[in-house]
Every structure is written in C-alpha cells, then in structure tokens.
C-alpha cells in the first residue's frame, strides 16, 4: 500500500492533537508533533528547549532555523514509510522546506488536513484543556478523564499548558492568522487541501477524516 504523508493544519485549539491521537492509531502512522517535541526539549532543558521557551510562552513562532531541521530529522528518522505532522508547517518558509525535502527523496504529501474552528470556540476549548506530560489531551467539560486530574492512558498527572493563559491564547491566534492561515491557499493551489469542521463533535470529525483518507487511497489505486 502506498504511504500516507499527512499534515494537520488549523488554529490553536481546533483539535489537531485530539484528531492526531485517533488517526495515528487508525492508520498506524508515526506522529510528529512540533509542539510536543518543543515542549519535551523545554522540560528537559536542552539548548534548543531553552532557546524556544521564550517564543512559546509568548505565543510566537519559534525561529525557522530551529524548527525546520528538527522536523526534517524526525521525518527521516521515524517517517520513512509515512507520517502525520501536527504543528508543522506554520508558515510559507516551513512549507517550502518540507516540499523540497520530500521532493529530494522522491516523495510527496498525500494531503493537508485543515481542521477549522472560529476564535470563540478556540478560546473556550483552550481555557479548559488539560494535558499529561506525554501529550494526551483532555477537556474539563468536553472530554473529562474518568479519574479527575489524571491521564486515562498512562496515569500521570494532568496539567494546564503554560501558553493556555487567555493573553497568550490571543497572541497565538494572531500569530496563526498572520503566518499560518496563508498555508490554506498554498495547499489549495496544489490540490492537497481537505477541509473539516473542527467545531463538530470530535468523533464526527474523526469519521470525516477517515472517510476522506479512505477515498484518497481508493483514488490512488484506480
Ligand atoms: P502547538 O503545541 O502545536 O500548539 P497549537 O498549534 O497552538 O495547537 P494546540 O495544541 O493548542 O491545539 P490543538 O489543535 O492541538 O487542539 P487540541 O486537540 O489540544 O504549538 C505550541 C507552540 O510551539 C507554538 O505557539 C509555537 O511557539 C511553537 N511551535 C510549534 N510548532 C511550531 C513551528 N512549526 N514553527 C515555529 N514554532 C512552532 O484540543 C484543544 C482542546 O479542545 C482540548 O481540551 C480538547 O479536549 C478539546 N477538543 C478537541 N476537539 C474537540 C471537539 N471536537 N469538541 C470539543 N472539544 C474538543
Ligand atoms: Mg496540539
């Protein structure tokens, strides 16, 4: 079967991480999440983590030279037979770098999955988000864990992300609209964009994405 090389696009809080958890299970794809990788560097206090921390806590993008190499190395390392990218690319430079790297190895993107949601929904979701140190995501109202305050999958403690404070969320939304939204046209022009309504129930969004991916695979075989 041909490989699936997928990226997830969408504003903060649209549900990229939530869908990624389901999709990596459904399709056996390695998950490469820029935010998760950067947060791990930050908590381990690596040089990259220390450099990235200020930008992340402010709601700004981490400079391209730090992120691009990190992600291309991950793809080479884990994503040789397909991948699901969450949080990359986030601007045109990163998109070009990914396109060029894939082309050099004779590969290409299968689709850019846009999970869209309005600013109001995003703000409501991020204020109630809780997450464990392994990146499993919950919401105090929309997806509460069975055992309050603890992850159902690994039992570790749930915490609120530092950048989910209201002021930082506003800044992240601004960054998204300015730098990342142009990627919608970029992938539309290349015939790769698939849109999903992220304001729907998470299970419904997952059904729609799975149906779309099944269709893409069928079309490829015809
Ligand atoms: P990153 O971690 O990627 O953050 P983000 O893009 O802001 O996205 P989020 O993780 O906040 O939202 P999500 O869409 O994953 O939503 P989730 O599924 O959790 O990046 C963090 C920072 O790192 C950036 O600000 C930047 O500084 C840096 N960075 C990362 N990548 C970079 C790059 N490429 N270049 C430069 N810098 C980079 O869901 C949110 C909440 O809603 C949860 O509580 C969930 O339970 C709930 N929920 C989800 N779906 C639904 C639903 N359908 N209905 C109801 N509730 C739902
Ligand atoms: Mg996420």
């Amino acid at each position: 079967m041909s490989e699936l090389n997928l990226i997830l696009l969408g504003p903060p809080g649209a549900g990229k991480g939530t869908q990624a958890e389901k999709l990596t299970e459904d399709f056996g794809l390695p998950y490469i999440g820029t935010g998760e990788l950067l947060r791990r560097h930050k908590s381990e206090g690596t040089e990259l983590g220390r450099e990235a921390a200020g930008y992340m806590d402010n709601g700004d993008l981490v400079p391209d030279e730090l992120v691009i190499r990190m992600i291309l190395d991950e793809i080479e390392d884990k994503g040789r037979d397909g991948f699901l990218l969450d949080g990359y690319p986030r601007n045109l430079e990163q998109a070009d770098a990914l396109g060029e790297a894939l082309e050099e190895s004779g590969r290409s993107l299968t689709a850019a999955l846009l999970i869209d949601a309005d600013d109001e929904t995003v703000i409501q979701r991020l204020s109630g988000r809780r997450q464990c140190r392994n990146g499993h995501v919950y919401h105090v109202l929309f997806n509460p864990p069975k055992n309050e305050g603890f992850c159902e999958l690994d039992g570790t403690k749930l915490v609120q992300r530092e950048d989910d404070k209201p002021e930082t969320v506003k800044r992240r939304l601004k960054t998204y609209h300015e730098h990342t939204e142009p990627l919608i046209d970029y992938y539309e022009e290349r015939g790769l964009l698939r849109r999903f309504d992220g304001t729907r129930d998470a299970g419904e969004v997952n059904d729609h994405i799975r149906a779309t991916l099944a269709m893409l695979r069928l079309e490829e075989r015809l």
Side-chain angles (χ1 to χ4, degrees), residues 109-177:
L109 274 186
T110 313
L113 312 173
L114 169 67
I115 305 180
D116 216 354
D118 54 275
D119 289 8
E120 206 182 309
T121 304
V122 161
I123 290 166
Q124 195 189 21
R125 287 201 185 154
L126 294 183
S127 63
R129 172 165 61 185
R130 299 293 181 272
Q131 197 166 309
C132 80
R133 63 161 185 248
N134 296 315
H136 301 126
V137 182
Y138 300 85
H139 191 283
V140 292
L141 299 175
F142 308 137
N143 178 26
K146 289 198 186 87
N147 210 345
E148 201 190 316
F150 294 92
C151 180
E152 283 173 22
L153 299 171
D154 54 34
T156 59
K157 213 166 162 258
L158 298 180
V159 294
Q160 186 162 29
R161 251 169 63 176
E162 279 171 41
D163 58 350
D164 280 348
K165 291 179 296 207
E167 278 319 300
T168 319
V169 168
K170 275 193 209 140
R171 175 92 192 161
R172 281 161 62 201
L173 271 168
K174 188 167 177 282
T175 305
Y176 173 77
H177 291 307

Side-chain angles (χ1 to χ4, degrees), residues 35-54:
E36 293 312 315
L37 283 167
L38 289 170
R39 276 186 287 283
R40 201 178 321 140
H41 276 282
K42 213 175 141 208
S43 70
E44 287 170 2
T46 66
E47 197 185 328
L48 170 58
R50 284 199 302 275
E51 277 190 66

Side-chain angles (χ1 to χ4, degrees), residues 7-208:
I7 64 175
L8 283 170
L9 271 184
K16 301 181 298 294
T18 300
Q19 294 303 324
E21 253 180 62
K22 297 173 192 284
L23 292 172
T24 47
E25 231 172 80
D26 295 340
F27 293 91
L29 285 173
Y31 170 71
I32 303 176
T34 330
E36 293 312 315
L37 283 167
L38 289 170
R39 276 186 287 283
R40 201 178 321 140
H41 276 282
K42 213 175 141 208
S43 70
E44 287 170 2
T46 66
E47 197 185 328
L48 170 58
R50 284 199 302 275
E51 277 190 66
Y55 298 98
M56 296 174 76
D57 293 347
N58 237 348
D60 294 327
L61 292 182
V62 173
D64 287 343
E65 65 266 25
L66 299 180
V67 174
I68 291 175
R69 192 48 19 227
M70 176 181 87
I71 288 302
L72 298 185
D73 285 348
E74 280 289 303
I75 292 178
E76 206 160 14
D77 189 29
K78 294 202 296 194
R80 288 173 170 275
D81 302 318
F83 54 78
L84 178 66
L85 276 183
D86 168 11
Y88 184 100
R90 262 178 143 99
N91 59 29
L92 295 167
E93 292 71 22
Q94 295 183 11
D96 283 340
L98 174 65
E100 283 161 24
L102 288 175
E103 206 179 309
E104 270 170 30
S105 45
R107 306 172 69 185
S108 58
L109 274 186
T110 313
L113 312 173
L114 169 67
I115 305 180
D116 216 354
D118 54 275
D119 289 8
E120 206 182 309
T121 304
V122 161
I123 290 166
Q124 195 189 21
R125 287 201 185 154
L126 294 183
S127 63
R129 172 165 61 185
R130 299 293 181 272
Q131 197 166 309
C132 80
R133 63 161 185 248
N134 296 315
H136 301 126
V137 182
Y138 300 85
H139 191 283
V140 292
L141 299 175
F142 308 137
N143 178 26
K146 289 198 186 87
N147 210 345
E148 201 190 316
F150 294 92
C151 180
E152 283 173 22
L153 299 171
D154 54 34
T156 59
K157 213 166 162 258
L158 298 180
V159 294
Q160 186 162 29
R161 251 169 63 176
E162 279 171 41
D163 58 350
D164 280 348
K165 291 179 296 207
E167 278 319 300
T168 319
V169 168
K170 275 193 209 140
R171 175 92 192 161
R172 281 161 62 201
L173 271 168
K174 188 167 177 282
T175 305
Y176 173 77
H177 291 307
E178 267 178 40
H179 298 278
T180 312
E181 224 165 31
L183 293 178
I184 297 176
D185 285 345
Y186 179 96
Y187 286 115
E188 183 111 85
E189 282 161 16
R190 287 159 178 76
L192 291 170
L193 192 79
R194 298 291 181 276
R195 288 173 189 270
F196 304 93
D197 180 358
T199 65
R200 313 279 284 254
D201 172 82
E204 249 179 90
V205 180
N206 177 247
D207 289 343
H208 290 167

